[in-house]
Amino acid sequence: MTIGVRQLVFSANAFAGALLALFLSFAIGLERPFWAMVTVYIASQPLSGASVSKGVFRLIGTAVGAGAAVVMVPAFVNAPVLLTLVMALWVGGCLFVSLLDRTPRSYLFMLAGYTAAFVGFPAAGHPEQVFGTAVLRAQEIGLGVFCAMLFHSIVFPLSVGDAVRDRLRDILADAERWTADALAGIVTPETEIERRRLANDTTELHLLGTHLPYDTARVRPERGTLAALQDRLVLLLPMASAMEDRIITLRSLRALPERLERLVEDVRCWVKDPAAADPDALRDRAEQLSSDAARRHDWEALLQANLAGRLGELVVLLVTIRSLARAIRFPDEKLPEGVRQTIRAARPRKFHLDHALALRSAFATVLAIVGCATFWIFSGWPDGATATMIAAVMCCFFAAMDDPTVAQRGFLYGTAAGIPIVGLYLFAILPMISGFPLLALALAPLFLPLGVAVAFPALAGATMPLVVGIAGGLALNNNYGPSDFATFVNSNFALCAGVLAAIFATRLVRVLDPAAAVLRVLRAGWRDLADAAEGRAIRSPADWTSRMLDRVGLILPRLPRAAADLRLAGTDALRDLRVGLGVLQVREAARTTPAGAGRAEMERLVATLGRHFRRLGNGASERPPLMLLGEIDTALALVLEEPTEMPGREPTLHALVGLRRNLFPDASAWQPEALAA
């Protein structure tokens, strides 16, 4: 990591925003100016649009949470235990919704939860002050948000649109490179890692796109264009991996004819260089070869037809991807009608959602809040409110992690490391300061280097707790210091106690090891496969692919720590993705095929697939039953007997061939003669 201009500008903007927030808070006479200062650092993001969106979400969440506290505290102030329970359920409920959102908007729901704790618990002993506290909290947060947005949007802003275009250029180059490798039949560990990284890349593009409406650039890409591009990118990965499998298989059988070999090489050259061939001519050749091969009734011909059909689909898909990428790079250009129709047809991105895990996170939060508040109520501890609201924040901040206690401990260490620094400032430096310019000068050597560290994603997780802990611990006001040393000790002890309570509650009900986390995601995919076979939940290939690619992206970072677990032996999320597409196609064929033996066999096949994946989703560990192989082979024979001009015949053949290769890669070649006998 090299410190560059962007990191220096980010730190300077954040510090300038924090100083402006402090100055205005002092001038207005707000009671807790440090809330505004902390807000500036929390809302500050490297991209100007992201700073604006996070600031807006924080402001709305704060208003909703403060309003909830104003309603709850007076209603339950005479029943402290009931008030604690209601507040805990509110925070837990908001966290539950936040974890199911999976977009930057989730920050709004999380803020609505723990803001109620920030406003409500300190006001529990003085309910008449809750409205004033809520208004002050909203004012100070709003002031911090305004100052953060002001500097990050005006002083050397980094556009979200520019970041999207830069990221897209790299993603498209990577995708074209490994697609060309797939067409060459080259499989290396490095290529496999690059290929699977596309799942993370498409999710990153989606998250960047959510900030586009808040971007400060005059001309920016449309979110609909980016959504349409994501729809196509998610289809590229299963298509490329399927073609790679067919090429390797046909070459091992010495059954790749010269015409098809030449087409593969021509498409590969066109993928690497769009000017190397006419895509329409490539698509026509692929369709002709697929049609010719599908007329023959042998396994090698079916593999050839499958490969040729996928090549044609790849050409169409990549043409669309390149057109959409150009529309994003040059948003002022007039779009062709076909591209506009593609954009209008774009669907919202589908994400993996784990309701049970979100509920466990919410329960851990409720448990931490109730535990802290119970000790506070029955002990009469003056700083119990601080510990309780910090426990709520710590449970909310890191709830999306497999093991939140790792980050919670990091926050505890960062907070503890900041206590001596805060003490040095409060009792040695700040008492000697008179006037705001000297205050700014004293804070600069501390906050400017920390701001640079926050600008690096790899360091932000460790540095942000230090920034927040120091800014909150200083509790800056017009007097520049606390009332006495006892207040300083008690408040910091309460802060650490709240973090420890969150760690204990989380460790009790929420921690997952990496292998268990991977299995949860895989089993969710298997349950979706069962739903797809049964015609429930998943309605389109695009929805299935989008959700499964998101799951691949969730699995990849965990695999290095979970790969040795025997429970994961033989699992492959990419294979499951291809199987899911095949299941959807066969199910559709079973629905549209005229009544007869072919339709009955495909319905039987889909039902068997559904039962198999339902058992896997419920925790069973088994290989696909051999009965399933027989049903696939029978369905292949029956579809081949249909007239070649029958609508949907070739896509159904492609789907059945794909299912056979993905579920039974080591099975002997399909033999129609054996079935006939």
Side-chain angles (χ1 to χ4, degrees), residues 571-596:
T571 59
D572 185 344
L574 279 181
R575 181 195 60 205
D576 294 343
L577 193 160
R578 298 194 299 270
V579 169
L581 292 175
V583 169
L584 290 171
Q585 288 175 311
V586 173
R587 191 195 74 193
E588 180 63 17
R591 188 181 66 84
T592 57
T593 300

Side-chain angles (χ1 to χ4, degrees), residues 117-364:
F118 260 88
V119 173
F121 285 122
H126 304 280
E128 72 282 357
Q129 298 178 3
V130 66
F131 182 77
T133 303
V135 171
L136 282 172
R137 173 79 178 177
Q139 287 177 333
E140 286 150 356
I141 298 301
L143 186 59
V145 166
F146 168 76
C147 293
M149 291 191 302
L150 178 67
F151 281 93
H152 288 292
S153 300
I154 294 178
V155 183
F156 300 110
L158 184 59
S159 166
V160 175
D162 290 342
V164 166
R165 284 186 281 268
D166 291 344
R167 195 71 193 92
L168 178 58
R169 181 184 62 247
D170 296 338
I171 291 171
L172 195 54
D174 289 344
E176 289 174 343
R177 183 175 61 255
W178 57 247
T179 300
D181 289 344
L183 294 175
I186 300 172
V187 183
T188 66
E190 293 77 14
T191 302
E192 194 68 15
I193 291 171
E194 275 191 357
R195 187 174 304 170
R196 292 168 184 252
R197 197 166 55 221
L198 179 67
N200 285 332
D201 292 339
T202 53
T203 299
E204 182 183 346
L205 271 181
H206 172 79
L207 296 178
L208 281 174
T210 59
H211 300 301
L212 278 174
Y214 306 91
D215 199 15
T216 54
R218 183 185 63 83
V219 179
R220 55 181 181 262
E222 295 291 336
R223 284 186 65 185
T225 308
L226 192 61
L229 178 65
Q230 291 161 7
D231 285 349
R232 270 65 191 174
L233 279 173
V234 298
L235 294 173
L236 190 59
L237 184 56
M239 187 177 295
S241 58
M243 288 187 298
E244 179 183 74
D245 174 80
R246 308 304 180 265
I247 291 170
I248 293 173
T249 303
L250 285 168
R251 284 178 178 165
S252 69
L253 297 172
R254 300 184 182 278
L256 190 60
E258 183 182 349
R259 289 176 62 201
L260 187 52
E261 181 85 71
R262 193 162 55 246
L263 176 62
V264 170
E265 184 58 29
D266 289 346
V267 172
R268 181 170 177 266
C269 291
W270 173 78
V271 169
K272 296 167 68 176
D273 179 10
D278 176 20
D280 291 334
L282 293 174
R283 185 197 60 210
D284 293 342
R285 287 168 59 190
E287 290 176 354
Q288 185 62 50
L289 284 172
S290 177
S291 179
D292 292 345
R295 291 189 177 93
R296 293 159 43 205
H297 292 194
D298 60 83
W299 181 237
E300 293 175 356
L302 290 175
L303 290 174
Q304 293 165 12
N306 185 272
L307 173 58
R310 295 288 184 247
L311 285 169
E313 293 172 7
L314 171 67
V315 170
V316 174
L317 180 63
L318 200 50
V319 165
T320 306
I321 287 174
R322 286 168 171 168
S323 298
L324 291 168
R326 181 172 181 83
I328 290 173
R329 287 197 300 267
F330 306 103
D332 283 338
E333 284 189 0
K334 185 177 180 180
L335 299 177
E337 180 57 30
V339 176
R340 286 202 296 270
Q341 289 179 358
T342 300
I343 294 171
R344 286 194 292 268
R347 301 168 63 88
R349 181 86 192 274
K350 297 293 182 180
F351 290 102
H352 166 75
L353 301 178
D354 193 330
H355 293 79
L357 196 59
L359 190 61
R360 284 169 60 179
S361 296
F363 179 69

Side-chain angles (χ1 to χ4, degrees), residues 65 68-69 72 83-99 109-121 358 361-370 388-397 399:
M72 288 186 285
L83 174 61
T84 297
L85 184 60
V86 170
M87 292 281 285
L89 290 174
W90 168 265
V91 179
C94 289
L95 177 61
F96 178 78
V97 175
S98 171
L99 291 173
F109 301 107
M110 185 174 68
L111 257 293
Y114 74 68
T115 295
F118 260 88
V119 173
F121 285 122
S361 296
F363 179 69
T365 304
V366 171
L367 188 64
I369 293 173
V370 170
T388 304
M389 63 188 190
I390 291 302
V393 173
M394 287 298 99
C395 287
C396 290
F397 262 12

Side-chain angles (χ1 to χ4, degrees), residues 610-629:
R611 287 193 298 271
H612 169 62
F613 285 107
R614 184 67 66 192
R615 288 193 294 270
L616 289 178
N618 290 336
S621 178
E622 61 179 29
R623 293 182 177 275
L626 285 178
M627 176 182 67
L628 188 56
L629 176 61

Side-chain angles (χ1 to χ4, degrees), residues 213 270 379 514 521:
W270 173 78
S379 69
V521 177

Side-chain angles (χ1 to χ4, degrees), residues 530-600:
D531 289 343
E534 296 164 4
R536 299 187 299 176
I538 306 296
R539 295 184 174 86
S540 74
D543 288 352
W544 164 256
T545 307
S546 178
R547 188 170 295 170
M548 276 304 294
L549 270 182
D550 182 51
R551 290 188 175 117
V552 173
L554 293 173
I555 289 170
L556 285 179
R558 299 174 167 98
L559 278 182
R561 294 172 289 145
D565 196 293
L566 294 177
R567 293 174 294 175
L568 300 178
T571 59
D572 185 344
L574 279 181
R575 181 195 60 205
D576 294 343
L577 193 160
R578 298 194 299 270
V579 169
L581 292 175
V583 169
L584 290 171
Q585 288 175 311
V586 173
R587 191 195 74 193
E588 180 63 17
R591 188 181 66 84
T592 57
T593 300
R599 177 169 182 170

